[in-house]
Amino acid sequence: QVQLVESGGGLVQAGGSLRLSCAASGNTGSIITMGWYRQAPGKERELVAVINSGGSTSYADSMKGRFTISRDNAKNAVYLQMNSLKPEDTAVYYCNVVAEISYQYVAYWGQGTQVTVSS
């Protein structure tokens, strides 16, 4: 099992910045990838960014150049630096990890943190 605790959401004006943090605990040695997803009201959950243990990253097209994902393997933490925020970035942001448990890939989710961008 892996437990995730997120922090850093809040209310910000358009053009502003926020930094989300997610700390993992439990069976952290099994973690393969760490990432962020978001879900806006009335929309499906979508990928924001993901990073693997080697530091390779992948971003959704709409976040490239504005968002930066990073990972601290020693702290079992993943971060999302969000710059130049837009009202359409308003959503609940979820931390996600994929771990290998008993030869299977298992996804774990945080509780979500609200990000609201005002125009």
Side-chain angles (χ1 to χ4, degrees):
Q1 291 286 336
V2 176
Q3 295 79 42
L4 303 172
V5 177
E6 301 145 342
S7 60
L11 173 64
V12 65
Q13 289 188 332
S17 298
L18 281 175
R19 185 175 187 249
L20 306 183
S21 300
C22 175
S25 61
N27 194 0
T28 57
S30 65
I31 292 175
I32 299 170
T33 64
M34 305 184 80
W36 293 93
Y37 287 70
R38 71 183 187 185
Q39 188 166 18
K43 295 188 177 181
E44 293 186 353
R45 192 171 297 188
E46 63 175 349
L47 172 71
V48 175
V50 65
I51 184 169
N52 66 16
S53 57
S56 295
T57 59
S58 181
Y59 295 88
D61 287 343
S62 60
M63 288 70 156
K64 288 180 181 177
R66 299 190 300 124
F67 292 6
T68 302
I69 190 170
S70 60
R71 177 172 175 173
D72 187 332
N73 289 329
K75 295 182 178 180
N76 299 308
V78 63
Y79 309 97
L80 185 69
Q81 177 66 43
M82 303 184 293
N83 299 327
S84 302
L85 283 162
K86 305 174 182 179
E88 51 264 42
D89 293 318
T90 295
V92 178
Y93 284 70
Y94 295 91
C95 179
N96 166 270
V97 303
V98 175
E100 185 178 354
I101 307 292
S102 300
Y103 305 104
Q104 292 185 334
Y105 294 125
V106 180
Y108 295 92
W109 296 91
Q111 79 283 1
T113 185
Q114 177 70 47
V115 171
T116 302
V117 184
S118 63
S119 57

